[in-house]
Each structure stands twice: as structure tokens, then as C-alpha cells.
């Protein structure tokens, strides 16, 4: 149930870490906690409305799989891959959003948590012709990610041939994870992965350089491009690489070619003994991540001083205000990372144990979202006897930090409106939003 863009470790994704380094580090049983990059976990694809420069969720959740699963993203993309774009010669009014009743494909589809309102993918080709040329870098990157994602998903026919075609499709920057084809284009564009300096992020800033490297494939990850390839950053230790890489090769139709690129500075700080020729002596230094890289004035928080850096700091502040309002460990028996502002009392029917931070959650412009015991059970494949309530940030509000309503028009409308929590409640609310294309 893991999202193919959120490698098994990255789905620790919404643990509430304000910043970590790497979204694709693989976490397997017995492995150390992966890097949780709250700012790189995917792109705001038209088919994955919750993905963003922040945690890739429609309803961002510390509980891991419940907000957006592999099945959820796959279901949304199947819709796109199965429909050719409509042909229109004149501007017309379109639904900005599309309603999905059971995006996660759990059980009989009656879970309210599985209702989803996403940007209407049919609009992407038309918006690409206008906003894709004149909009902000963030809007352009979002459109490019959406269109290339659809192309990559077309390779998903569950055959070796499909995997080979995916791995060969560099035009759309496709790669295989968990046996499925996907991509990660947003960060490549925003952080200037092509090395031409056309991204929105502040060129030369430590965080920009690391993100730029993270967006590159292995053959692009060279000293000449200012980057280094280190599989220890992906697996945590060399022993884990030796143990799990053969499994990944079999599952993904070939060796890992994406996800282990980093900046030289990041390697120096985060990979212990990185100069050692004995790879077994190298390991990912979680202490250095917390104490050095993610220190208030550390490289992980040095975004530069350009406009994008300002937007990123503001969006992070909003994001973290919501995430850190969750102070109750909701289900420690299943996953200690699942945090909440309120939990159903297991002994008194209808009673709720509520944290004082509930009021602060709402005051910060966040939303309180319920997760039922039934949905949690379906998500985790384990018996969960009580639900919980989580303080989440609105993806619409989050996106507004990066998009401009005057230059980004319909893209701004889609990403700030379709992703609003209240739009998920019904088809009528979701599809009431219109745009001109």
C-alpha cells in the first residue's frame, strides 16, 4: 500500500520531521529509520493532488499509508492513462477538479477517508499551452510533472517489458520502484536539475544543491555535475545494500538508478567514514542529520535568500504548526509515528481523549481530520480498535505559498481549491470549481 513515489522508507514521510534529506531511502525490516524529506516527497501532480514541495499527501498524515497509498495513486493514474485528452479548438469552461469515491481501493469503497478530490487531469494539456509557457516555475513544474507522470504510468502493464520500457524512458524521467513505473520531475525542474540555473530555488544554496543532486539519475550524478552517488544514503548501511539490493533488482527489473545521489557537502556531513575504501565502515549518521544538517542554521535549513526561499520557509512554518500540534501517540502498538490531537477512548463508547493542542491546531489554520478504526485496519492490515483525529495542514493553503493567482490562473485554482479538505466531502463540492482552458 505504499506509494510508488514514496519508497518504503519515505512513507515514514509524514512523521512530522520538519526536514530531512532524502525521500527515496529504502526502509526494510531491521533497517534504521529513513530520511524523511518534508520538502521533496513528490510533485503536485494533477493525479496526485496532495503531493507537493511538502509531504506528498492529499490529507497529509503522520500515519503513513492511510492518506495516499500505492493503490490510491495508481487508481488516479489509471483514469488518466485510459483517457486520451479531449480535443478542443477554443477556450471553454472545464471542471477544475475530479471526484474519486474510493481512491485507495480499500474494502467495499465505503470509507469516507478514501474520498478524494483531485485536479482534473484533462485540463493539463491545455494549461500546458498557456500557463506552461508563461506561469511561475512552480506552475510549469507542476504541469510538466503531471504530463510526464501520465506517460510513465502507461508503462505499468506488470511485465518485464513494461519495466524495461519504463527504465528506458528518460524523456519522461521514468524509473521503477516497487515494481511500478513512476517519476519525480517537480524537484528536477524547481531545483534546476539540468544545471542551467533555470529553477525557482536559490542557486548555490546548500539545500538547493542537495535537492538538485537528489533529482538526478545515477549516470547524471557525477562530480562534474557537483554530485556524488552513494548507496549508503539510500539503504542506511552497506550491509543493508548488500542484503536488499538483490531483492530490488529482481523486483524492479534492474539495479537502483535513482535515489542515491547527494551533494558532496551532504555526504561529508551525513555519511560516516565516507572516505573509507571499505564500504562496510560507512553508514548514514542519523545524529549528524539531527544535530548538524538540520540544525537551525545548518545546511538543511539554508535555502538561500531568493523569493522561493521565503515561500519555502513560510510554507514550512505553516506545515509544522499543524504537524506538531499532534501530541498524542495514537497507536503505538502498530506504529509509534502515528500522532494525533485526539483519540477515541477504548473503554468508554463515544468518548474522546483530546489534547489541549486542538485549539491551537485550528488557530493555526489547520484542519482536524478523523481516521476511523475500520479504515486504519484496512490501511495497516492489522486490527485497530479505536480511531483518532489528526491535525493536518491544508494542501490548498500550502500550495498558495508557491503559486501566483495572477500568473498561474487555472493551475492556481486547481491546486489551491481541489486540495481543500472540504472538497473531499462530496462530488458536488469537488466539481463545483471551474476553470477556463
Amino acid at each position: 500500500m505504499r506509494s510508488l513515489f514514496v519508497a518504503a522508507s519515505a512513507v515514514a514521510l509524514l512523521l512530522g520531521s520538519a526536514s530531512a534529506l532524502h525521500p527515496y531511502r529504502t526502509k526494510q525490516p531491521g533497517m534504521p529509520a529513513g530520511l524523511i524529506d518534508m520538502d521533496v516527497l513528490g510533485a503536485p501532480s494533477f493525479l496526485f493532488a496532495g503531493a507537493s514541495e511538502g509531504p506528498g499527501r492529499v490529507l497529509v498524515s503522520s500515519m503513513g499509508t492511510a492518506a495516499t497509498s500505492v493503490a490510491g495513486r495508481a487508481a488516479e493514474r489509471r483514469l488518466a492513462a485510459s483517457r486520451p485528452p479531449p480535443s478542443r479548438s477554443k477556450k471553454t469552461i472545464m471542471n477544475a477538479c475530479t471526484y474519486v469515491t474510493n481512491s485507495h481501493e480499500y474494502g467495499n469503497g465505503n470509507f469516507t477517508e478514501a474520498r478524494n478530490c483531485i485536479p482534473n487531469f484533462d485540463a493539463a494539456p491545455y494549461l500546458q499551452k498557456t500557463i506552461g509557457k508563461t506561469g511561475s516555475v512552480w506552475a510549469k513544474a507542476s504541469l510538466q510533472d503531471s504530463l510526464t507522470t501520465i506517460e510513465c504510468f502507461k508503462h505499468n502493464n506488470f511485465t518485464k517489458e513494461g519495466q524495461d520500457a519504463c527504465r528506458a524512458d528518460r524523456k519522461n524521467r521514468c524509473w521503477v520502484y516497487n515494481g511500478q513505473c513512476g517519476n519525480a520531475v517537480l524537484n528536477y525542474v524547481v531545483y534546476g536539475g539540468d544545471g542551467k540555473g533555470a529553477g525557482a530555488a536559490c542557486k548555490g544554496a546548500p539545500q538547493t544543491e542537495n535537492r538538485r543532486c537528489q533529482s538526478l539519475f545515477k549516470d547524471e550524478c557525477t562530480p562534474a555535475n557537483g554530485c556524488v552517488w552513494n548507496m549508503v544514503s539510500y539503504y542506511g548501511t552497506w550491509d543493508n545494500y548488500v542484503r536488499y539490493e538483490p531483492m530490488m533488482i529482481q523486483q524492479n527489473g534492474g539495479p537502483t538508478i535513482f535515489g542515491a545521489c547527494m551533494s558532496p557537502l551532504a555526504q561529508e556531513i551525513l555519511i560516516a567514514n565516507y572516505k573509507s575504501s571499505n564500504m562496510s565502515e560507512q553508514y548514514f549518521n542519523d545524529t549528524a542529520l539531527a544535530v548538524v544538517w538540520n540544525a537551525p542554521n545548518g545546511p538543511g535549513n539554508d535555502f538561500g535568500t531568493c523569493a522561493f526561499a521565503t515561500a519555502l520557509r513560510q510554507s514550512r512554518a505553516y506545515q509544522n504548526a499543524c504537524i506538531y500540534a499532534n501530541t498524542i501517540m495514537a497507536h503505538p502498538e502498530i506504529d509509534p509515528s502515528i500522532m494525533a490531537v485526539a483519540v477515541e477512548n477504548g473503554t468508554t463508547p463515544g468518548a474522546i481523549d483530546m489534547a489541549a493542542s486542538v485549539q491551537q491546531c485550528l488557530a493555526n489554520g489547520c484542519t482536524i481530520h478523523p481516521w476511523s478504526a475500520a479504515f486504519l485496519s484496512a490501511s495497516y492490515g492489522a486490527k485497530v480498535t479505536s480511531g483518532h483525529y489528526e491535525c493536518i495542514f491544508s494542501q490548498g493553503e500550502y500550495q498558495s505559498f508557491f503559486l501566483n493567482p495572477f500568473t498561474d490562473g487555472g493551475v492556481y485554482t486547481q491546486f489551491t481549491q481541489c486540495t481543500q479538505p472540504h472538497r473531499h466531502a462530496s462530488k458536488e463540492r469537488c466539481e463545483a470549481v471551474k476553470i477556463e482552458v
Side-chain angles (χ1 to χ4, degrees), residues 19 26 49-50 76 92 103 122 125 160 235 269-270 272 304 315 329 365 437:
S19 167
T26 308
E76 292 156 7
T92 188
S103 63
D122 280 344
K160 179 63 166 62
Y235 283 103
I269 294 173
L270 298 171
S315 65
M329 191 177 294
V437 296

Side-chain angles (χ1 to χ4, degrees), residues 328-385:
I328 300 175
M329 191 177 294
H331 306 284
E333 73 284 1
I334 295 177
D335 186 342
S337 71
I338 305 175
M339 304 298 290
V341 290
V343 179
E344 292 177 353
N345 188 307
T347 58
T348 306
I352 296 174
D353 296 325
M354 187 176 297
S357 56
V358 165
Q359 184 175 1
Q360 190 60 45
C361 171
L362 297 175
N364 289 334
C366 315
T367 298
I368 295 177
H369 185 76
W371 301 102
S372 68
F375 185 76
L376 293 170
S377 296
S379 299
Y380 284 92
K383 181 64 175 177
V384 179
T385 58

Side-chain angles (χ1 to χ4, degrees), residues 170-253:
R170 189 61 65 84
K171 175 184 177 181
N172 293 300
R173 302 193 66 78
C174 305
W175 56 285
V176 182
Y177 189 82
N178 278 351
Q180 299 188 62
C181 188
N183 69 355
V185 167
L186 182 85
N187 290 306
Y188 180 78
V189 177
V190 170
Y191 289 97
D194 61 5
K196 297 178 181 179
C202 307
K203 187 176 181 180
Q207 194 56 309
T208 298
E209 289 308 299
N210 193 54
R211 300 290 171 75
R212 180 181 64 82
C213 291
Q214 288 178 343
S215 72
L216 301 180
F217 285 89
K218 183 178 181 179
D219 64 307
E220 301 167 331
C221 185
T222 64
N225 283 335
C227 304
V228 293
W229 182 265
N230 192 315
M231 291 300 289
V232 171
S233 72
Y234 190 96
Y235 283 103
T237 68
W238 187 254
D239 288 344
N240 283 334
Y241 165 73
V242 172
R243 180 180 179 184
Y244 294 110
E245 178 67 3
M247 298 165 53
M248 295 297 101
I249 291 174
Q250 183 176 5
Q251 184 178 48
N252 299 326

Side-chain angles (χ1 to χ4, degrees), residues 25-256:
R25 184 161 164 212
T26 308
K27 183 178 180 183
Q28 300 288 353
M31 294 181 67
L35 289 167
I36 307 151
D37 199 329
M38 301 302 288
D39 304 310
V40 198
L41 285 178
S45 164
F46 272 68
L47 306 180
F48 186 36
S52 69
E53 214 279 340
R57 296 298 168 126
V58 173
L59 294 174
V60 174
S61 169
S62 65
M63 55 165 270
T65 57
T68 300
S69 65
V70 132
R73 197 160 184 176
E76 292 156 7
R77 287 182 171 167
R78 277 197 294 275
L79 291 173
S82 64
R83 281 191 212 168
S87 176
R88 295 187 178 95
S89 58
K90 296 188 296 184
K91 283 196 172 184
T92 188
I93 301 298
M94 293 182 67
N95 285 347
C97 317
T98 298
Y99 189 65
V100 183
T101 58
N102 186 24
S103 63
H104 308 290
E105 299 179 349
Y106 292 140
N108 58 14
N110 290 331
F111 294 117
T112 58
E113 294 94 331
R115 296 172 183 170
N116 203 348
C117 185
I118 62 174
N120 179 8
F121 55 83
D122 280 344
Y126 304 101
L127 293 170
Q128 174 68 12
K129 295 176 182 178
T130 54
I131 296 167
K133 296 179 180 179
T134 62
S136 67
V137 174
W138 190 262
K140 293 177 182 178
S142 301
L143 287 167
Q144 186 174 338
D145 177 79
S146 301
L147 295 170
T148 55
T149 293
I150 292 172
E151 293 304 310
C152 292
F153 191 74
K154 289 178 180 178
H155 298 307
N156 279 330
N157 57 9
F158 305 101
T159 66
K160 179 63 166 62
E161 291 74 20
Q163 287 187 337
D164 291 344
C166 174
R167 296 171 70 89
D169 189 352
R170 189 61 65 84
K171 175 184 177 181
N172 293 300
R173 302 193 66 78
C174 305
W175 56 285
V176 182
Y177 189 82
N178 278 351
Q180 299 188 62
C181 188
N183 69 355
V185 167
L186 182 85
N187 290 306
Y188 180 78
V189 177
V190 170
Y191 289 97
D194 61 5
K196 297 178 181 179
C202 307
K203 187 176 181 180
Q207 194 56 309
T208 298
E209 289 308 299
N210 193 54
R211 300 290 171 75
R212 180 181 64 82
C213 291
Q214 288 178 343
S215 72
L216 301 180
F217 285 89
K218 183 178 181 179
D219 64 307
E220 301 167 331
C221 185
T222 64
N225 283 335
C227 304
V228 293
W229 182 265
N230 192 315
M231 291 300 289
V232 171
S233 72
Y234 190 96
Y235 283 103
T237 68
W238 187 254
D239 288 344
N240 283 334
Y241 165 73
V242 172
R243 180 180 179 184
Y244 294 110
E245 178 67 3
M247 298 165 53
M248 295 297 101
I249 291 174
Q250 183 176 5
Q251 184 178 48
N252 299 326
T256 299

